[in-house]
C-alpha cells in the first residue's frame, strides 16, 4: 500500500465529511440514551452504526476516513461516566475504521484511516486546564492510534496553540516509544476575524508549527469553502508543508424552523474546486454539515484534478498563483524563520538587524526586577516586560533564578501571565532543565531557550535538543565545553561544529540554532581579555560565512562591564554596530540604552573602536572612555504622563495596573465613587468591547481588562467604607448560565462568566448537559435576572428550543441570551424568540454577555 505522504505528492487526496452530522442524519432512534449524548460511545455500543457511516464516505470516494474519536479524551468522557472506558472507545474507533477501509482498499485507490484528536473544551492558554493534564489525555489517544496502526494522526479544530502543543508532544512521545513513523497533521479553526479563539492568527499559527516534526498544516470547521479563499491563499503562500482544508457545509441558516447549512453538495463541491485549482492544496474534505452526498459531489468535481505545483520535499514552489512572490521563498533565499507569541510572529533575521532581546526581566541583571520577584509583585513584573516591548524589544528574556525561591514554582505563576499578556515572544533563561521544561508548557508560541553548553558533555546537550525539538523552541548554545569558556576564535568554532553536528544527528532544525559567541569585559585591564571583542567579532564572521542557516546571539553589554552608565551606552552601541556588521543575528540588550551610531561623535566612535579591536594602549584608552558622556534621552511616551483620569481609563483598556491603586486613591479625593465607575471604568470596558468586536484586541487582553476593572472597583470599595459592594449595588443583576442537554462544551460559557463577574455581576454557572428541568430548577433556586444558554453542536440547538418551550410552560419569562458556534442571529430571533414569552437575543461572542446585561437588566 502506498505511503500516504507519497500519495499527497501525486494527487489531490479526499477526506471524509462530518461524523456528528452523519450520525444525526442517519437517525439516532436505534441508539440508547448514552450513545445519543456521547457519539464516541457508539463505537462500543453499536459498532455497525459507525461502520455504515464510514462505508458511505468510502463509497462516495473518500481516500481518508477519520476515526469516531473527536471527543474521546478521558476528561471529556468523564462527563458521561465513561472515563474508565476511554481506551476501549478509542481502540474500537480505530479498529472499526481500519476494518472498513481495508475492505475498500484497492491498488488503484488505496484507503487510509486518520486518528481524530479534537480540541477538548478547556483552553490552557487561559489557564483553564494544565498542559500536563491535556498531555496525559492525548497520550492515551495517541497510544491507541499508533499501536492500532492508523495511517495519519489529525490534531484538528484547534482553538488554542498550547492545546495543540500538548497533543503534539504526546503524539511525538508515543511515536518515539514505538519507533513509529506515523504522519501528523495540525488543523486550526478560525473565527470570522481570522483568528483562533485565543487570538492567534493564521500566519502566526503557520510560523509557530511549520518547522516542527509534522507533515501538514491546515484549517477545518469555522465556515464554508466560499468564505475562506483569503485563508487558503495565506496557507498556499506561507506554509511549506502539505496543506489540508476541511470546511463546513457553508454557514448555519434557518430552514423550515431548523438550523442547517446554506450550501448544497454541488455548491460545496464547486467552491472546493475553485480552491484546489487556484491554490496549493494537497488534501480537501468536509467538516460540520458535510454528509456523504457532499463528499460524493466533491469527489466527482475534483477527480483527476492535480494539485497546483505539488510539493516533493515539503517545500512549496517558487511561483505564486496571484502574481505575488510568496514569503516562503524570496529570490532563492532560505525560507524565513520566526519566533512567535500567542498573538504575533517575529522574524528571527530582522531587517535591519539585530533581533533585540530585552534584558530587564532578569533577576541576575536587574536589582529592580529581583526586588519585584521577592515581593511577588507579578503585575509590575509583567509591566517591566510590556515596557521593554514599547521601547523596541522584539523578544523578552525572562530569568527567575533566585537562591531563596523555587524557580519552577515562580515560572508556573509568572509565565502564564506573560503568555496571555505580552505580544512579543519569550526567551526562557535558566540553568535548570526542569524549570525550562515547565516554562515551555506555559508558552503558546515558539520561544527561545537560553541555554545549553558542553560543560558536562554531550548527553546533557542531547536532552535539551530533544526537548526543544518536541516542544517547539529555538535553542542557544554557549561556546563553553569541558575546558571552560572559549576565549579564542578557534576554540569557539570547535564548539559550534560539535553542537551543529549533534543537532543534525537528532533532527533539530539548524535554523532554530542560536550560537552565543560570548564576549568578555574589555574594562578589567586584564591582558587575557584585550582581544575579547575582536575574537567574538571574528567568530561571528565565521558563522556568517560557513553556517548561513544558523543564528548568532550575544549579551552585548558584557563588553562594557564596570564603566559608568553613560560611557557604557556609547561603548555598547559601537560594539553592537560592529557585531551586526559582521553577522550578529540577535542581541540581549536594553533597547532604551542603545543610541544610533550616527549620534556618536567621531572621537568617541574611534576611541571605542580602538578598544574593541585592541589598537591602542589599553590603560590610556580605558581612561578616555570612562570620561565619555552622552546627551541621549529616552523619548518613550509612558502611561504615567497622561492626565490621571486618562491613566485609569487606559489602565483598563490596556490591562495595566502598576499605578492603578495610587491613581484611584488620588482621584477619589475629587470624584465620587460612582462617578469614577460610570464615567471612567464602564466607558473603558465599552472601549474594550469595541476593540474586541473589530478584532483589534484578542480575548486574553479582554479578560485582563476585565480583571483590572474588578480590581479598580475593589480599590474604591476598600478606601471608601460607605461604598462596600458598590458595583454590585450599581449593577445588581445576576445571570444563570448553562450548557443545554446533550452538549459538554463550555469554553464560551466560561468566558462569559469571567467577563461578567469581573464587571460586578453575579453569575450562577450550573454546568453542562443541563436538561430543561435542571435549568428550571436553577432559576427557582437562584432567582436570576437573566438566563444564558450555550450550545456548540447543531443538534443542541433543538435542545435549546425545547428548553425555552419548557420554561414558557412553567411561567418563566426572564430575558435569555443564547450563544454558541451552532447558532446564528436569524435562528435566535425567529425560531427561539417565537417559542418564548420573554426577550431572547443572540450572543455572538463572549463579550456580548456584558452588553446584554447592561441593556436587559
Amino acid at each position: 500500500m502506498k505511503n500516504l505522504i507519497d500519495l499527497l505528492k501525486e494527487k489531490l487526496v479526499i477526506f471524509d465529511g462530518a461524523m456528528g452530522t452523519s450520525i444525526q442524519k442517519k437517525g439516532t432512534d436505534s441508539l440508547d440514551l448514552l450513545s445519543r449524548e456521547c457519539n464516541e460511545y457508539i463505537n462500543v455500543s453499536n459498532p455497525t452504526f459507525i461502520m455504515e457511516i464510514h462505508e458511505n464516505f468510502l463509497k462516495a470516494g473518500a481516500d481518508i476516513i477519520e476515526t469516531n474519536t473527536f471527543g474521546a479524551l478521558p476528561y471529556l468522557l468523564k462527563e458521561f461516566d465513561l472515563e474508565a472506558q476511554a481506551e476501549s472507545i478509542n481502540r474500537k474507533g480505530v479498529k472499526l475504521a481500519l476494518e472498513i477501509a481495508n475492505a475498500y482498499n484497492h491498488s488503484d485507490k488505496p484507503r487510509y484511516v486518520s486518528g481524530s484528536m479534537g480540541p477538548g473544551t478547556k483552553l490552557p492558554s487561559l489557564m483553564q486546564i494544565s498542559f500536563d493534564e491535556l498531555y496525559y489525555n492525548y497520550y492515551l489517544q495517541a497510544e491507541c492510534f499508533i499501536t492500532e496502526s492508523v495511517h495519519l494522526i489529525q490534531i484538528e479544530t484547534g482553538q488554542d496553540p498550547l492545546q495543540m502543543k500538548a497533543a503534539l508532544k504526546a503524539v511525538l512521545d508515543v511515536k518515539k516509544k514505538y519507533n513509529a513513523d506515523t504522519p501528523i497533521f495540525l488543523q486550526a479553526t478560525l473565527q470570522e476575524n481570522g483568528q483562533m479563539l485565543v487570538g492567534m492568527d493564521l500566519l502566526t499559527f503557520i510560523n509557530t508549527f511549520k518547522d516542527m516534526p509534522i507533515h501538514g498544516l491546515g484549517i477545518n470547521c469555522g465556515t464554508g469553502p466560499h468564505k475562506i479563499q483569503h485563508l487558503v491563499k495565506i496557507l498556499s503562500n506561507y506554509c511549506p508543508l502539505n496543506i489540508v482544508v476541511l470546511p463546513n457545509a457553508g454557514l448555519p441558516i434557518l430552514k423550515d424552523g431548523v438550523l442547517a447549512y446554506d450550501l448544497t453538495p454541488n455548491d460545496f463541491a464547486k467552491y472546493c474546486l475553485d480552491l484546489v485549482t487556484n491554490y496549493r492544496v494537497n488534501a480537501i474534505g468536509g467538516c460540520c454539515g458535510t454528509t456523504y452526498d457532499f463528499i460524493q459531489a466533491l469527489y466527482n468535481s475534483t477527480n483527476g484534478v492535480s494539485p497546483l505545483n505539488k510539493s516533493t520535499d515539503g517545500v512549496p514552489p517558487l511561483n505564486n498563483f496571484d502574481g505575488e512572490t510568496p514569503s516562503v521563498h524570496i529570490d532563492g533565499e532560505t525560507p524565513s524563520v520566526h519566533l512567535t507569541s500567542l498573538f504575533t510572529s517575529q522574524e528571527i533575521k530582522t531587517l535591519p538587524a539585530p533581533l533585540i532581546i530585552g534584558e530587564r526581566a532578569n533577576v541576575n541583571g536587574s536589582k529592580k526586577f529581583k526586588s519585584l520577584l521577592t515581593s511577588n509583585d507579578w503585575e509590575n513584573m509583567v509591566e517591566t516586560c510590556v515596557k521593554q516591548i514599547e521601547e523596541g524589544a522584539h523578544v523578552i528574556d525572562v530569568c527567575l533564578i533566585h537562591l531563596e525561591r523555587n524557580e519552577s514554582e515562580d515560572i508556573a505563576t509568572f509565565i502564564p501571565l506573560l503568555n496571555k499578556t505580552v505580544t512579543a515572544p519569550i526567551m526562557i533563561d535558566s540553568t535548570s532543565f526542569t524549570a525550562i521544561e515547565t516554562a515551555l508548557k506555559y508558552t503558546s508560541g515558539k520561544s527561545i531557550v537560553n541555554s545549553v553548553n558542553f560543560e558536562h558533555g554531550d548527553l546533557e546537550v542531547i536532552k535539551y535538543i530533544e526537548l526543544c525539538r518536541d516542544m517547539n523552541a529555538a535553542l542557544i548554545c554557549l561556546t563553553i565545553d569541558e575546558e571552560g569558556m572559549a576565549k579564542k576564535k578557534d576554540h569557539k568554532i570547535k564548539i559550534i561544529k560539535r553542537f551543529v553536528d549533534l543537532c543534525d544527528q537528532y533532527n533539530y532544525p539548524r535554523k532554530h540554532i542560536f550560537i552565543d559567541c560570548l564576549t568578555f569585559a574589555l574594562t578589567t585591564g586584564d591582558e587575557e581579555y584585550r582581544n575579547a571583542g575582536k575574537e567574538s567579532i571574528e567568530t561571528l564572521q565565521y558563522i556568517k560565512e560557513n553556517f548561513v542557516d544558523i543564528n548568532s546571539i550575544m549579551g552585548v553589554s558584557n563588553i562594557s562591564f564596570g564603566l559608568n552608565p553613560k560611557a557604557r551606552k556609547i561603548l555598547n552601541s559601537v560594539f553592537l554596530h560592529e557585531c551586526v556588521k559582521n553577522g550578529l543575528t540577535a542581541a540581549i540588550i536594553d533597547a532604551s540604552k542603545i543610541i544610533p551610531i550616527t549620534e556618536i561623535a567621531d572621537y568617541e566612535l574611534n576611541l571605542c573602536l580602538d578598544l574593541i579591536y585592541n589598537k591602542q594602549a589599553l590603560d590610556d584608552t580605558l581612561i578616555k572612555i570612562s570620561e565619555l558622556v552622552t546627551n541621549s534621552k529616552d523619548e518613550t511616551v509612558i502611561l504615567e504622563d497622561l492626565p490621571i483620569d486618562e491613566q485609569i481609563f487606559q489602565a483598563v483598556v490596556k490591562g495595566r495596573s502598576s499605578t492603578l491603586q495610587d491613581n484611584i486613591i488620588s482621584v477619589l479625593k475629587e470624584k465620587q465613587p460612582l462617578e469614577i465607575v460610570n464615567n471612567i471604568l464602564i466607558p473603558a470596558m465599552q472601549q474594550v468591547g469595541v476593540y474586541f468586536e473589530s478584532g483589534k484586541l484578542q480575548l486574553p487582553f479582554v479578560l485582563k481588562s476585565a480583571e483590572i476593572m474588578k480590581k479598580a472597583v475593589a480599590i474604591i470599595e476598600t478606601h471608601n467604607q460607605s461604598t462596600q459592594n458598590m458595583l454590585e449595588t450599581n449593577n445588581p443583576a445576576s445571570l444563570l448560565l448553562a450548557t443545554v442537554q446533550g452538549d459538554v462544551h463550555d469554553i464560551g460559557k466560561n468566558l462569559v462568566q469571567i467577563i461578567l463577574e469581573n464587571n460586578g455581576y453575579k453569575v450562577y454557572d450550573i454546568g453542562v448537559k443541563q436538561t430543561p428541568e435542571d435549568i428550571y430548577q436553577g432559576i427557582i433556586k437562584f432567582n436570576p435576572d437573566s438566563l444564558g444558554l450555550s450550545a456548540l453542536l447543531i443538534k443542541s440547538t433543538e435542545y435549546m428550543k425545547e428548553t425555552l418551550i419548557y420554561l414558557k410552560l412553567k411561567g418563566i419569562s426572564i430575558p435569555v441570551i443564547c450563544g454558541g458556534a451552532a447558532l446564528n442571529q436569524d435562528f435566535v430571533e425567529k425560531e427561539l424568540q417565537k417559542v418564548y414569552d420573554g426577550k431572547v437575543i443572540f450572543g455572538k461572542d463572549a463579550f456580548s454577555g456584558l452588553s446584554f446585561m447592561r441593556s436587559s437588566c
Side-chain angles (χ1 to χ4, degrees), residues 11-15 57-63 108-109 111 265 268-269 272-273 284 292-305:
K11 70 180 290 287
L12 179 69
V13 172
I14 305 296
F15 272 75
F57 282 124
L58 292 170
K59 287 179 177 178
D63 299 300
D108 293 336
K109 189 170 177 61
R111 308 300 181 110
F268 178 83
C272 287
L273 179 61
I284 194 161
Y292 71 91
D293 47 345
F294 281 79
I295 303 306
Q296 178 76 65
L298 175 63
Y299 173 75
N300 291 340
S301 68
T302 61
N303 189 29
V305 174

Side-chain angles (χ1 to χ4, degrees), residues 397-398 426-430 435-436 439-440 443 447-451:
D397 176 56
V398 178
I426 298 168
M427 184 165 83
I428 303 154
D429 192 343
S430 177
I436 288 172
L440 290 176
T443 52
S447 305
I448 307 176
V449 166
N450 185 16
S451 57

Side-chain angles (χ1 to χ4, degrees), residues 423-468:
T423 56
I426 298 168
M427 184 165 83
I428 303 154
D429 192 343
S430 177
T431 57
S432 164
F433 181 87
T434 300
I436 288 172
E437 185 178 35
T438 300
L440 290 176
K441 291 177 180 179
Y442 290 108
T443 52
S444 301
K446 183 193 297 182
S447 305
I448 307 176
V449 166
N450 185 16
S451 57
V452 69
N453 64 71
F454 287 96
E455 184 178 4
H456 301 294
D458 286 3
L459 291 180
E460 184 75 5
V461 174
I462 292 168
K463 186 167 68 169
Y464 277 86
I465 289 173
E466 291 188 313
L467 174 69
C468 292

Side-chain angles (χ1 to χ4, degrees), residues 535-753:
E535 296 284 352
S536 296
I537 289 172
E538 289 178 353
T539 307
L540 292 174
Q541 288 177 322
Y542 175 85
I543 294 172
K544 180 181 179 181
E545 294 169 1
N546 295 276
F547 292 104
V548 294
D549 286 343
I550 72 174
N551 309 289
S552 53
I553 188 170
M554 196 181 299
V556 173
S557 57
N558 290 345
I559 200 80
S560 63
F561 184 77
L563 292 175
N564 69 71
K566 294 180 179 180
R568 290 196 74 180
K569 181 176 284 192
I570 296 175
L571 180 56
N572 289 345
S573 300
V574 175
F575 184 60
L576 175 62
H577 178 77
E578 292 301 299
C579 289
V580 169
K581 189 168 67 175
N582 287 279
L584 182 68
T585 307
I588 306 171
I589 199 159
D590 185 342
S592 68
K593 295 180 180 177
I594 290 294
I595 55 178
I597 203 77
T598 53
E599 294 185 13
I600 298 175
D602 288 345
Y603 167 75
E604 297 168 340
L605 173 62
N606 291 328
L607 200 58
C608 292
L609 290 174
D610 285 347
L611 181 65
I612 291 167
Y613 290 103
N614 192 21
K615 293 180 180 179
Q616 302 291 335
L618 181 62
D619 292 343
D620 185 48
T621 306
L622 281 176
I623 291 172
K624 292 177 180 177
I625 285 179
S626 66
E627 296 171 350
L628 294 180
V629 296
T630 177
N631 294 319
S632 63
K633 62 178 181 179
D634 184 1
E635 299 290 348
T636 304
V637 177
I638 57 176
L639 189 65
E640 289 82 349
D641 292 336
L642 299 172
I644 192 164
D645 286 14
E646 183 66 15
Q647 286 187 45
I648 297 171
F649 182 92
Q650 291 298 330
V652 174
V653 172
K654 297 180 182 295
R656 309 269 288 275
S657 63
S658 59
T659 60
L660 184 68
Q661 179 158 324
D662 290 342
N663 287 340
I664 292 287
I665 294 171
S666 177
V667 82
L668 277 170
K669 298 174 183 177
E670 301 175 2
K671 290 181 169 64
Q672 293 298 313
L674 287 180
E675 186 181 356
I676 299 171
V677 172
N678 293 329
N679 297 339
I680 301 177
L681 298 180
I682 289 178
M685 280 305 296
Q686 290 171 338
Q687 183 65 60
V688 170
V690 171
Y691 286 153
F692 179 66
E693 179 70 22
S694 65
K696 294 179 180 178
L697 201 66
Q698 293 97 345
L699 182 62
F701 295 106
V702 171
L703 300 181
K704 181 64 176 176
S705 293
E707 291 173 8
I708 300 303
M709 171 79 171
K710 185 176 182 179
K711 181 175 181 178
V713 172
I715 294 170
I716 294 173
E717 292 175 346
T718 299
H719 289 82
N720 288 266
Q721 298 302 318
S722 62
T723 64
Q724 290 297 317
N725 301 317
M726 176 201 59
L727 191 56
E728 291 187 14
T729 301
N730 193 37
N731 296 310
S734 60
L735 178 77
L736 182 76
L737 272 179
T739 299
V740 298
Q741 182 178 353
D743 203 326
V744 299
H745 299 87
D746 60 358
I747 290 176
K749 176 171 66 64
N750 292 340
L751 299 179
V752 170
Q753 179 177 4

Side-chain angles (χ1 to χ4, degrees), residues 815-836:
V816 180
I817 181 171
C818 298
L823 297 173
N824 62 30
Q825 189 165 352
D826 199 40
F827 179 78
V828 173
E829 293 181 351
K830 292 182 179 178
E831 287 303 307
L832 297 185
Q833 180 63 80
K834 75 181 183 182
V835 301
Y836 185 71

Side-chain angles (χ1 to χ4, degrees), residues 703-813:
L703 300 181
K704 181 64 176 176
S705 293
E707 291 173 8
I708 300 303
M709 171 79 171
K710 185 176 182 179
K711 181 175 181 178
V713 172
I715 294 170
I716 294 173
E717 292 175 346
T718 299
H719 289 82
N720 288 266
Q721 298 302 318
S722 62
T723 64
Q724 290 297 317
N725 301 317
M726 176 201 59
L727 191 56
E728 291 187 14
T729 301
N730 193 37
N731 296 310
S734 60
L735 178 77
L736 182 76
L737 272 179
T739 299
V740 298
Q741 182 178 353
D743 203 326
V744 299
H745 299 87
D746 60 358
I747 290 176
K749 176 171 66 64
N750 292 340
L751 299 179
V752 170
Q753 179 177 4
I754 293 170
I755 290 173
L756 289 180
E757 287 184 339
N758 285 347
N759 279 271
Y761 294 96
K762 184 67 177 177
V763 178
Y764 305 101
D765 182 0
I766 60 174
V768 299
K769 297 188 304 176
Q770 296 298 301
T771 67
E773 175 64 17
D774 293 334
I775 293 169
Y776 171 70
Q777 291 299 330
I779 293 172
I780 297 302
K781 177 179 179 180
F782 296 109
N783 191 29
D785 296 284
S786 299
L787 172 65
L789 298 179
S790 175
L792 180 74
L793 307 174
I794 285 285
K795 69 176 183 180
S796 304
T797 61
E798 285 304 304
Y799 289 126
M800 190 175 281
K801 189 173 182 178
E802 291 175 10
T803 298
L804 292 176
I805 293 171
Y806 185 84
L807 293 178
K808 178 181 177 180
L809 291 174
K810 292 288 188 179
I812 302 297
S813 61

